[in-house]
Amino acid sequence: MPLSKHEQQLLAQLEKQLHDDDPRFASTMHTEAVRGRGSMRNVVLGVVIAVVGLGVLLAGVALQLIIVGVLGFIVMAAGAYVATVRGRATPGKGAANPGNPGNGPSGRGPSGPRKSSTFLQNLEEKWDKRNQG
């Protein structure tokens, strides 16, 4: 289902605000989105593992062996994990550089703390009003 015109405008505003507030974090998020959630190989492998786990689970139920059923469930969970896990990240990308002050986990640059965002506060207020009635 595509976004409405209003939702697209809000999304564009949010993206612009993110780039203005924290360009380093925004560029990190952009590279993650381009790279995707995972590879097709991981998805196919995870689905195959999950189907095998489902078969083992059903065999455990049919044979009335609890341990086989639990083992099947664990194999199914492992398959779901493999299907949803991201591929390996390139070492050194997106990691904080401890030798460079201002590039820590807060994402704040050498310019100091970032400005408070009234745009996000307005969105939060609208969301609260919408949920309250």
Side-chain angles (χ1 to χ4, degrees), residues 31-106:
T31 57
E32 289 293 323
V34 170
R35 208 174 3 175
R37 289 201 63 130
S39 68
M40 183 59 79
R41 187 181 124 245
N42 283 356
V43 172
V44 171
L45 181 63
V47 168
V48 168
I49 292 172
V51 168
V52 169
L54 179 63
V56 173
L57 175 70
L58 292 176
V61 170
L63 297 173
Q64 295 182 354
L65 296 172
I66 294 174
I67 191 71
V68 175
V70 170
L71 181 65
F73 179 79
I74 292 172
V75 171
M76 280 178 35
Y81 176 76
V82 168
T84 58
V85 73
R86 292 183 182 186
R88 292 184 182 187
T90 307
K93 291 221 175 197
N97 186 359
N100 188 0
N103 285 340
S106 68

Side-chain angles (χ1 to χ4, degrees), residues 4-14 119:
S4 70
K5 196 86 154 165
H6 178 70
E7 290 170 333
Q8 289 175 354
Q9 290 172 349
L10 281 175
L11 182 60
Q13 275 184 317
L14 282 170
F119 175 73

Side-chain angles (χ1 to χ4, degrees), residues 22 60 113 128 131:
D22 199 349
D128 290 338
N131 284 338

